[in-house]
Amino acid sequence: MHQHAMRTAATLYAEGTWDVETAARQAGVTPTELEHVVERYGLTTTELEFESTGRVRVAAD
């Protein structure tokens, strides 16, 4: 299960969905460890064009 969580977090970070801190926290590792995993998997990261302001609450109808 840990490997799946790590791979998912690394992918979401690399695609720009999560910032490195969020992805690392979800995977249970430090941001530096997550960045090493991203490199090891050969994923390329997408730079976010805006700074994360934390969680955004959304609702559906």
Side-chain angles (χ1 to χ4, degrees):
M1 181 70 173
H2 179 72
Q3 285 293 74
H4 178 71
M6 179 68 76
R7 178 68 180 196
T8 300
T11 300
L12 290 171
Y13 165 61
E15 291 177 351
T17 303
W18 284 348
D19 61 26
V20 70
E21 290 83 14
T22 302
R25 184 174 47 254
Q26 292 298 320
V29 296
T30 67
T32 302
E33 290 171 320
L34 183 76
E35 289 173 338
H36 288 300
V37 169
V38 168
E39 289 176 19
R40 186 172 53 219
Y41 287 154
L43 301 172
T44 56
T45 57
T46 303
E47 293 293 325
L48 296 176
E49 294 182 13
F50 57 91
E51 287 197 30
S52 175
T53 58
R55 294 184 184 255
V56 176
R57 181 163 167 72
V58 296
D61 293 334

